[in-house]
Amino acid sequence: MNHYPAPWQLQGSGYILIYRFTKEFVAQHGRVPAFLEGQFSGGLGSVMLVNYESSDAGPYGELLFIPGKFHHQGRKLNTISKIYVSTSDSVDNGWENWGIPKELAAFSFQKLASGKEHVQVSQAGVSIADLTLSAFGPSFPVNTRLLPFPLVQQHQQQLYYTQFSGKGKGRLAKIDELSINAALFPDISLCKPWALLKVDPFAITFPVATIQR
């Protein structure tokens, strides 16, 4: 394993899909880790699809799912309950640095002549997600200070607390086509996004996690 310690600085572009998932959807599809089961408290969840052109571990693609907030030790925190990335270095160091349950997958980001973008995520030749998205309208500043996702993750009986931050230029976006393999990722085709942004460029900082043993 190549070790790339936190903090990480990442740059790229991607899509942020904001949802208000129901308690029933999260219970059935959210892949909530055992230590947070029964603690869902609502709030905004997210799907992020990012093409990092650079990071401390090199470029990689990422697809992640955040169900919403959970009650945890007197606080309301988020968790990443499902996540795929395109490099082994990102997988290994995601677990090591932040307890994030990363899995390896293949990513394809294709800009179409129509201006839309086609993104495919697959694992061992099996499709996980197939999306066509498009952005529209003027750009505006995007900053995670307006929509923070303070994380708690559990790995090897340790709790990892991380508050990542990011900023960039956003535009409104929409999903033109969407296919999800519900066996491998929460089936967001069952839900309507609350908001959808394309962020390009996108810069994010993942700091050193606070670890509770």
Side-chain angles (χ1 to χ4, degrees):
M1 169 182 166
N2 297 313
H3 186 48
Y4 300 97
W8 281 15
Q9 306 291 334
L10 308 101
Q11 292 85 35
S13 62
Y15 296 87
I16 302 175
L17 291 67
I18 305 296
Y19 292 86
R20 191 176 289 278
F21 296 114
T22 65
K23 182 178 180 180
E24 291 74 22
F25 179 85
V26 170
Q28 294 178 24
H29 304 278
R31 300 171 182 270
V32 177
F35 80 103
L36 293 175
E37 285 183 352
Q39 302 302 313
F40 183 65
S41 64
L44 297 177
S46 182
V47 172
M48 298 186 188
L49 179 60
V50 185
N51 185 10
Y52 290 117
E53 297 172 352
S54 67
S55 82
D56 291 72
Y60 66 91
E62 181 175 84
L63 172 66
L64 66 81
F65 179 82
I66 296 174
K69 299 285 189 189
F70 293 85
H71 296 290
H72 176 75
Q73 297 187 1
R75 302 169 64 189
K76 289 186 177 181
L77 301 175
N78 298 103
T79 197
I80 298 172
S81 63
K82 194 67 176 176
I83 178 170
Y84 295 97
V85 295
S86 63
T87 69
S88 296
D89 282 341
S90 180
V91 170
D92 295 339
N93 287 275
W95 283 100
E96 180 78 12
N97 292 338
W98 305 286
I100 296 175
K102 293 184 175 182
E103 300 174 53
L104 190 63
F107 283 67
S108 169
F109 294 87
Q110 182 183 13
K111 293 185 178 178
L112 306 179
S114 62
K116 300 178 180 179
E117 189 166 15
H118 183 209
V119 184
Q120 295 173 295
V121 184
S122 62
Q123 191 175 58
V126 177
S127 178
I128 298 169
D130 191 316
L131 305 92
T132 302
L133 308 105
S134 53
F136 58 93
S139 66
F140 48 85
V142 173
N143 196 308
T144 56
R145 284 181 296 180
L146 301 176
L147 188 61
F149 287 100
L151 298 176
V152 58
Q153 307 291 149
Q154 187 181 54
H155 176 50
Q156 294 182 341
Q157 307 306 313
Q158 299 182 130
L159 294 169
Y160 294 71
Y161 300 92
T162 310
Q163 176 70 66
F164 67 89
S165 60
K167 60 182 180 180
K169 288 286 188 180
R171 298 174 66 196
L172 297 176
K174 63 185 179 73
I175 299 172
D176 297 296
E177 296 179 31
L178 171 63
S179 176
I180 297 292
N181 183 340
L184 297 175
F185 196 78
D187 190 1
I188 55 172
S189 68
L190 301 173
C191 308
K192 183 178 180 180
W194 185 71
L196 203 163
L197 303 176
K198 178 176 183 178
V199 187
D200 183 12
F202 185 41
I204 190 168
T205 299
F206 249 85
V208 176
T210 300
I211 301 175
Q212 179 180 319
R213 295 177 170 82

